[in-house]
Amino acid sequence: MSEFWLISAPGDKANLLAWDRMNTVTSKANLSSNSKFTIPDLKVGTLDTLVGLSDELGKLDSFAESVIKKIGQYIGEVLEDSKDKVQENLLANGVDLISYLTKFEWDMAKYPIKQPLKNISEGLAKQISQIEADMKSRAAVYNNIKGNLQNLERKTVGNLLTRTLTDIVNKEDFVLNSEYLITLLVVVPRTSYGQWQKTYESLSDMVVPRSTKMIAEDTEGGLFTVTLFRKVIDDFKTKARENKFMVREFYFDEKELKCEKDEMRKLASDKKQQYGPLLRWLKVNFSEAFVAWIHIKALRVFSESVLRYGYQ
């Protein structure tokens, strides 16, 4: 990270002597690389106005800096896995920040210098406040979509005891719409597959023979179906638990599973649609905020220099 100081010094009309003297002193000790920071002739106003403005500009300077940092950090969040590309998105007027700062020119179109300093300051404050408000609004919408999608995606990871089964189960795995029979899902540890096959039919009365089938597997175990009579569900669950077979509380509902899949697809699509416009807005308004911030710095240097050295 580079460090920049804005230095003002009393000088002659063209300020050449002060500039040459500073270059001579700093180059001897290799203290810094110097660039001219050109500030136009601004309307000074009264001494009372300048004193009051000096305090306001200090607060505005800190506020603008905080907004710029928020935008920069949020660009990193939005880029997610491409955080190494954050720096290339942080530009001011289309150039890198160091180039903009070292070749600074006052933007006469945005901030006309014929108006009083206070008016320029108020315009800058309004601009920064609007950018912050817009970012909060846009971020809230995007973060809501992103958060809901992440919540659904989290359910698709983890072991077979906890993860969603939306992308695993099929209608054909279950006995459906039967008054008497029901298909349960049981998580069996890998080391107990043989025991499960030998004992599941005898864990309770009224278990349908040869009704088990493994439909999914992870590093810890497998997910098996088993069909039995509804009236022995509680007894089967108890006996299964005693044998370290865990029955998942899951009942196949095609409409519910479809809704969950559709919701995930919709959120993924919404996030993708929001991503491009949001990133463009952040890049544009980072530039706007940074440009405004450096103009605030210029106002501070000007007003404090006039208070210290007077105005010629």
PDB file of all heavy atoms in Angstrom, residues 184 203-204 228 232-243 245-251:
ATOM      1  N   LEU A 184     -39.790 -46.280   4.610  1.00  0.00           N
ATOM      2  CA  LEU A 184     -38.941 -45.428   5.445  1.00  0.00           C
ATOM      3  C   LEU A 184     -37.533 -45.370   4.851  1.00  0.00           C
ATOM      4  O   LEU A 184     -37.131 -46.252   4.085  1.00  0.00           O
ATOM      5  CB  LEU A 184     -38.853 -45.985   6.865  1.00  0.00           C
ATOM      6  CG  LEU A 184     -40.151 -46.090   7.655  1.00  0.00           C
ATOM      7  CD1 LEU A 184     -39.851 -46.636   9.046  1.00  0.00           C
ATOM      8  CD2 LEU A 184     -40.873 -44.742   7.743  1.00  0.00           C
ATOM      9  N   LEU A 203     -36.312 -56.754  12.558  1.00  0.00           N
ATOM     10  CA  LEU A 203     -36.284 -55.689  13.567  1.00  0.00           C
ATOM     11  C   LEU A 203     -37.660 -55.454  14.169  1.00  0.00           C
ATOM     12  O   LEU A 203     -37.795 -54.988  15.304  1.00  0.00           O
ATOM     13  CB  LEU A 203     -35.752 -54.380  12.956  1.00  0.00           C
ATOM     14  CG  LEU A 203     -34.257 -54.351  12.629  1.00  0.00           C
ATOM     15  CD1 LEU A 203     -33.891 -53.046  11.948  1.00  0.00           C
ATOM     16  CD2 LEU A 203     -33.417 -54.547  13.888  1.00  0.00           C
ATOM     17  N   SER A 204     -38.688 -55.782  13.399  1.00  0.00           N
ATOM     18  CA  SER A 204     -40.063 -55.617  13.871  1.00  0.00           C
ATOM     19  C   SER A 204     -40.955 -56.567  13.083  1.00  0.00           C
ATOM     20  O   SER A 204     -40.557 -57.089  12.034  1.00  0.00           O
ATOM     21  CB  SER A 204     -40.519 -54.178  13.667  1.00  0.00           C
ATOM     22  OG  SER A 204     -41.865 -54.018  14.063  1.00  0.00           O
ATOM     23  N   LEU A 228     -42.673 -51.258   5.295  1.00  0.00           N
ATOM     24  CA  LEU A 228     -43.316 -51.987   6.394  1.00  0.00           C
ATOM     25  C   LEU A 228     -44.737 -51.477   6.586  1.00  0.00           C
ATOM     26  O   LEU A 228     -45.153 -50.512   5.934  1.00  0.00           O
ATOM     27  CB  LEU A 228     -42.485 -51.820   7.671  1.00  0.00           C
ATOM     28  CG  LEU A 228     -41.948 -50.418   8.003  1.00  0.00           C
ATOM     29  CD1 LEU A 228     -42.964 -49.638   8.783  1.00  0.00           C
ATOM     30  CD2 LEU A 228     -40.637 -50.512   8.734  1.00  0.00           C
ATOM     31  N   VAL A 232     -46.491 -50.449  12.675  1.00  0.00           N
ATOM     32  CA  VAL A 232     -45.296 -50.854  13.426  1.00  0.00           C
ATOM     33  C   VAL A 232     -44.152 -49.852  13.286  1.00  0.00           C
ATOM     34  O   VAL A 232     -43.012 -50.155  13.646  1.00  0.00           O
ATOM     35  CB  VAL A 232     -44.817 -52.266  12.990  1.00  0.00           C
ATOM     36  CG1 VAL A 232     -45.885 -53.311  13.284  1.00  0.00           C
ATOM     37  CG2 VAL A 232     -44.398 -52.284  11.518  1.00  0.00           C
ATOM     38  N   ILE A 233     -44.444 -48.646  12.778  1.00  0.00           N
ATOM     39  CA  ILE A 233     -43.389 -47.637  12.561  1.00  0.00           C
ATOM     40  C   ILE A 233     -42.603 -47.361  13.839  1.00  0.00           C
ATOM     41  O   ILE A 233     -41.365 -47.404  13.853  1.00  0.00           O
ATOM     42  CB  ILE A 233     -43.989 -46.307  12.027  1.00  0.00           C
ATOM     43  CG1 ILE A 233     -44.443 -46.469  10.569  1.00  0.00           C
ATOM     44  CG2 ILE A 233     -42.936 -45.191  12.098  1.00  0.00           C
ATOM     45  CD1 ILE A 233     -45.103 -45.224  10.008  1.00  0.00           C
ATOM     46  N   ASP A 234     -43.311 -47.077  14.938  1.00  0.00           N
ATOM     47  CA  ASP A 234     -42.621 -46.693  16.182  1.00  0.00           C
ATOM     48  C   ASP A 234     -41.753 -47.826  16.709  1.00  0.00           C
ATOM     49  O   ASP A 234     -40.628 -47.597  17.171  1.00  0.00           O
ATOM     50  CB  ASP A 234     -43.649 -46.288  17.244  1.00  0.00           C
ATOM     51  CG  ASP A 234     -44.325 -44.967  16.903  1.00  0.00           C
ATOM     52  OD1 ASP A 234     -43.746 -44.205  16.104  1.00  0.00           O
ATOM     53  OD2 ASP A 234     -45.430 -44.710  17.406  1.00  0.00           O
ATOM     54  N   ASP A 235     -42.267 -49.052  16.641  1.00  0.00           N
ATOM     55  CA  ASP A 235     -41.500 -50.193  17.113  1.00  0.00           C
ATOM     56  C   ASP A 235     -40.252 -50.394  16.249  1.00  0.00           C
ATOM     57  O   ASP A 235     -39.154 -50.635  16.763  1.00  0.00           O
ATOM     58  CB  ASP A 235     -42.374 -51.455  17.080  1.00  0.00           C
ATOM     59  CG  ASP A 235     -41.627 -52.666  17.618  1.00  0.00           C
ATOM     60  OD1 ASP A 235     -41.064 -52.564  18.730  1.00  0.00           O
ATOM     61  OD2 ASP A 235     -41.576 -53.694  16.915  1.00  0.00           O
ATOM     62  N   PHE A 236     -40.415 -50.249  14.931  1.00  0.00           N
ATOM     63  CA  PHE A 236     -39.277 -50.411  14.019  1.00  0.00           C
ATOM     64  C   PHE A 236     -38.213 -49.353  14.291  1.00  0.00           C
ATOM     65  O   PHE A 236     -37.018 -49.659  14.327  1.00  0.00           O
ATOM     66  CB  PHE A 236     -39.751 -50.338  12.567  1.00  0.00           C
ATOM     67  CG  PHE A 236     -38.648 -50.561  11.575  1.00  0.00           C
ATOM     68  CD1 PHE A 236     -38.309 -51.852  11.174  1.00  0.00           C
ATOM     69  CD2 PHE A 236     -37.918 -49.494  11.054  1.00  0.00           C
ATOM     70  CE1 PHE A 236     -37.275 -52.070  10.267  1.00  0.00           C
ATOM     71  CE2 PHE A 236     -36.890 -49.708  10.158  1.00  0.00           C
ATOM     72  CZ  PHE A 236     -36.562 -50.999   9.761  1.00  0.00           C
ATOM     73  N   LYS A 237     -38.635 -48.107  14.498  1.00  0.00           N
ATOM     74  CA  LYS A 237     -37.683 -47.023  14.768  1.00  0.00           C
ATOM     75  C   LYS A 237     -36.870 -47.300  16.025  1.00  0.00           C
ATOM     76  O   LYS A 237     -35.654 -47.092  16.072  1.00  0.00           O
ATOM     77  CB  LYS A 237     -38.421 -45.687  14.915  1.00  0.00           C
ATOM     78  CG  LYS A 237     -38.903 -45.096  13.606  1.00  0.00           C
ATOM     79  CD  LYS A 237     -39.585 -43.751  13.890  1.00  0.00           C
ATOM     80  CE  LYS A 237     -40.035 -43.085  12.598  1.00  0.00           C
ATOM     81  NZ  LYS A 237     -40.742 -41.811  12.856  1.00  0.00           N
ATOM     82  N   THR A 238     -37.552 -47.766  17.059  1.00  0.00           N
ATOM     83  CA  THR A 238     -36.869 -48.051  18.328  1.00  0.00           C
ATOM     84  C   THR A 238     -35.828 -49.142  18.152  1.00  0.00           C
ATOM     85  O   THR A 238     -34.675 -49.012  18.595  1.00  0.00           O
ATOM     86  CB  THR A 238     -37.898 -48.465  19.400  1.00  0.00           C
ATOM     87  OG1 THR A 238     -38.843 -47.420  19.574  1.00  0.00           O
ATOM     88  CG2 THR A 238     -37.211 -48.760  20.717  1.00  0.00           C
ATOM     89  N   LYS A 239     -36.219 -50.259  17.494  1.00  0.00           N
ATOM     90  CA  LYS A 239     -35.299 -51.384  17.304  1.00  0.00           C
ATOM     91  C   LYS A 239     -34.140 -50.988  16.381  1.00  0.00           C
ATOM     92  O   LYS A 239     -32.997 -51.426  16.583  1.00  0.00           O
ATOM     93  CB  LYS A 239     -36.058 -52.579  16.704  1.00  0.00           C
ATOM     94  CG  LYS A 239     -37.142 -53.135  17.613  1.00  0.00           C
ATOM     95  CD  LYS A 239     -36.546 -53.847  18.798  1.00  0.00           C
ATOM     96  CE  LYS A 239     -37.621 -54.322  19.773  1.00  0.00           C
ATOM     97  NZ  LYS A 239     -38.663 -55.137  19.165  1.00  0.00           N
ATOM     98  N   ALA A 240     -34.434 -50.180  15.364  1.00  0.00           N
ATOM     99  CA  ALA A 240     -33.373 -49.722  14.457  1.00  0.00           C
ATOM    100  C   ALA A 240     -32.351 -48.883  15.206  1.00  0.00           C
ATOM    101  O   ALA A 240     -31.130 -49.055  15.046  1.00  0.00           O
ATOM    102  CB  ALA A 240     -33.988 -48.915  13.313  1.00  0.00           C
ATOM    103  N   ARG A 241     -32.842 -47.985  16.057  1.00  0.00           N
ATOM    104  CA  ARG A 241     -31.950 -47.119  16.828  1.00  0.00           C
ATOM    105  C   ARG A 241     -31.063 -47.935  17.759  1.00  0.00           C
ATOM    106  O   ARG A 241     -29.886 -47.621  17.944  1.00  0.00           O
ATOM    107  CB  ARG A 241     -32.782 -46.100  17.618  1.00  0.00           C
ATOM    108  CG  ARG A 241     -31.964 -44.970  18.221  1.00  0.00           C
ATOM    109  CD  ARG A 241     -32.824 -43.779  18.589  1.00  0.00           C
ATOM    110  NE  ARG A 241     -33.984 -44.158  19.374  1.00  0.00           N
ATOM    111  CZ  ARG A 241     -35.258 -44.067  18.939  1.00  0.00           C
ATOM    112  NH1 ARG A 241     -35.494 -43.596  17.732  1.00  0.00           N
ATOM    113  NH2 ARG A 241     -36.266 -44.431  19.704  1.00  0.00           N
ATOM    114  N   GLU A 242     -31.606 -48.989  18.348  1.00  0.00           N
ATOM    115  CA  GLU A 242     -30.826 -49.862  19.239  1.00  0.00           C
ATOM    116  C   GLU A 242     -29.674 -50.527  18.489  1.00  0.00           C
ATOM    117  O   GLU A 242     -28.643 -50.860  19.085  1.00  0.00           O
ATOM    118  CB  GLU A 242     -31.746 -50.928  19.854  1.00  0.00           C
ATOM    119  CG  GLU A 242     -32.718 -50.361  20.886  1.00  0.00           C
ATOM    120  CD  GLU A 242     -33.738 -51.394  21.351  1.00  0.00           C
ATOM    121  OE1 GLU A 242     -33.690 -52.552  20.851  1.00  0.00           O
ATOM    122  OE2 GLU A 242     -34.577 -51.055  22.193  1.00  0.00           O
ATOM    123  N   ASN A 243     -29.867 -50.721  17.190  1.00  0.00           N
ATOM    124  CA  ASN A 243     -28.835 -51.348  16.364  1.00  0.00           C
ATOM    125  C   ASN A 243     -27.980 -50.316  15.608  1.00  0.00           C
ATOM    126  O   ASN A 243     -27.229 -50.670  14.700  1.00  0.00           O
ATOM    127  CB  ASN A 243     -29.488 -52.293  15.358  1.00  0.00           C
ATOM    128  CG  ASN A 243     -29.958 -53.583  16.001  1.00  0.00           C
ATOM    129  OD1 ASN A 243     -29.211 -54.538  16.096  1.00  0.00           O
ATOM    130  ND2 ASN A 243     -31.199 -53.593  16.482  1.00  0.00           N
ATOM    131  N   PHE A 245     -28.987 -48.044  13.577  1.00  0.00           N
ATOM    132  CA  PHE A 245     -29.545 -47.677  12.278  1.00  0.00           C
ATOM    133  C   PHE A 245     -30.481 -46.495  12.530  1.00  0.00           C
ATOM    134  O   PHE A 245     -31.391 -46.606  13.354  1.00  0.00           O
ATOM    135  CB  PHE A 245     -30.343 -48.834  11.662  1.00  0.00           C
ATOM    136  CG  PHE A 245     -29.600 -50.137  11.577  1.00  0.00           C
ATOM    137  CD1 PHE A 245     -30.252 -51.339  11.844  1.00  0.00           C
ATOM    138  CD2 PHE A 245     -28.259 -50.178  11.222  1.00  0.00           C
ATOM    139  CE1 PHE A 245     -29.579 -52.544  11.759  1.00  0.00           C
ATOM    140  CE2 PHE A 245     -27.577 -51.388  11.132  1.00  0.00           C
ATOM    141  CZ  PHE A 245     -28.240 -52.564  11.413  1.00  0.00           C
ATOM    142  N   MET A 246     -30.241 -45.375  11.840  1.00  0.00           N
ATOM    143  CA  MET A 246     -31.024 -44.161  12.113  1.00  0.00           C
ATOM    144  C   MET A 246     -32.081 -43.948  11.034  1.00  0.00           C
ATOM    145  O   MET A 246     -31.761 -43.792   9.852  1.00  0.00           O
ATOM    146  CB  MET A 246     -30.107 -42.936  12.186  1.00  0.00           C
ATOM    147  CG  MET A 246     -29.015 -43.064  13.244  1.00  0.00           C
ATOM    148  SD  MET A 246     -29.657 -43.415  14.918  1.00  0.00           S
ATOM    149  CE  MET A 246     -30.610 -41.927  15.218  1.00  0.00           C
ATOM    150  N   VAL A 247     -33.350 -43.910  11.448  1.00  0.00           N
ATOM    151  CA  VAL A 247     -34.449 -43.667  10.516  1.00  0.00           C
ATOM    152  C   VAL A 247     -34.581 -42.167  10.279  1.00  0.00           C
ATOM    153  O   VAL A 247     -34.689 -41.388  11.239  1.00  0.00           O
ATOM    154  CB  VAL A 247     -35.777 -44.236  11.056  1.00  0.00           C
ATOM    155  CG1 VAL A 247     -36.926 -43.926  10.092  1.00  0.00           C
ATOM    156  CG2 VAL A 247     -35.659 -45.740  11.280  1.00  0.00           C
ATOM    157  N   ARG A 248     -34.512 -41.753   9.018  1.00  0.00           N
ATOM    158  CA  ARG A 248     -34.705 -40.334   8.671  1.00  0.00           C
ATOM    159  C   ARG A 248     -36.186 -39.985   8.729  1.00  0.00           C
ATOM    160  O   ARG A 248     -37.033 -40.723   8.234  1.00  0.00           O
ATOM    161  CB  ARG A 248     -34.205 -40.049   7.247  1.00  0.00           C
ATOM    162  CG  ARG A 248     -32.716 -39.834   7.088  1.00  0.00           C
ATOM    163  CD  ARG A 248     -32.229 -38.473   7.543  1.00  0.00           C
ATOM    164  NE  ARG A 248     -32.912 -37.353   6.976  1.00  0.00           N
ATOM    165  CZ  ARG A 248     -32.421 -36.540   6.042  1.00  0.00           C
ATOM    166  NH1 ARG A 248     -31.236 -36.775   5.535  1.00  0.00           N
ATOM    167  NH2 ARG A 248     -33.104 -35.495   5.624  1.00  0.00           N
ATOM    168  N   GLU A 249     -36.483 -38.828   9.318  1.00  0.00           N
ATOM    169  CA  GLU A 249     -37.871 -38.349   9.336  1.00  0.00           C
ATOM    170  C   GLU A 249     -38.167 -37.733   7.979  1.00  0.00           C
ATOM    171  O   GLU A 249     -37.990 -36.535   7.764  1.00  0.00           O
ATOM    172  CB  GLU A 249     -38.060 -37.323  10.460  1.00  0.00           C
ATOM    173  CG  GLU A 249     -37.941 -37.899  11.851  1.00  0.00           C
ATOM    174  CD  GLU A 249     -39.033 -38.927  12.161  1.00  0.00           C
ATOM    175  OE1 GLU A 249     -40.154 -38.795  11.604  1.00  0.00           O
ATOM    176  OE2 GLU A 249     -38.773 -39.857  12.940  1.00  0.00           O
ATOM    177  N   PHE A 250     -38.579 -38.575   7.060  1.00  0.00           N
ATOM    178  CA  PHE A 250     -38.809 -38.103   5.695  1.00  0.00           C
ATOM    179  C   PHE A 250     -39.971 -38.869   5.080  1.00  0.00           C
ATOM    180  O   PHE A 250     -40.021 -40.102   5.131  1.00  0.00           O
ATOM    181  CB  PHE A 250     -37.554 -38.319   4.835  1.00  0.00           C
ATOM    182  CG  PHE A 250     -37.701 -37.888   3.407  1.00  0.00           C
ATOM    183  CD1 PHE A 250     -37.424 -36.587   3.028  1.00  0.00           C
ATOM    184  CD2 PHE A 250     -38.146 -38.782   2.431  1.00  0.00           C
ATOM    185  CE1 PHE A 250     -37.567 -36.186   1.713  1.00  0.00           C
ATOM    186  CE2 PHE A 250     -38.297 -38.386   1.113  1.00  0.00           C
ATOM    187  CZ  PHE A 250     -38.000 -37.077   0.756  1.00  0.00           C
ATOM    188  N   TYR A 251     -40.895 -38.107   4.511  1.00  0.00           N
ATOM    189  CA  TYR A 251     -42.021 -38.715   3.812  1.00  0.00           C
ATOM    190  C   TYR A 251     -42.116 -38.068   2.442  1.00  0.00           C
ATOM    191  O   TYR A 251     -42.143 -36.839   2.326  1.00  0.00           O
ATOM    192  CB  TYR A 251     -43.313 -38.550   4.618  1.00  0.00           C
ATOM    193  CG  TYR A 251     -43.207 -39.215   5.964  1.00  0.00           C
ATOM    194  CD1 TYR A 251     -42.860 -38.471   7.099  1.00  0.00           C
ATOM    195  CD2 TYR A 251     -43.372 -40.589   6.096  1.00  0.00           C
ATOM    196  CE1 TYR A 251     -42.722 -39.078   8.330  1.00  0.00           C
ATOM    197  CE2 TYR A 251     -43.229 -41.204   7.333  1.00  0.00           C
ATOM    198  CZ  TYR A 251     -42.903 -40.448   8.439  1.00  0.00           C
ATOM    199  OH  TYR A 251     -42.740 -41.067   9.665  1.00  0.00           O
TER     200      TYR A 251
END
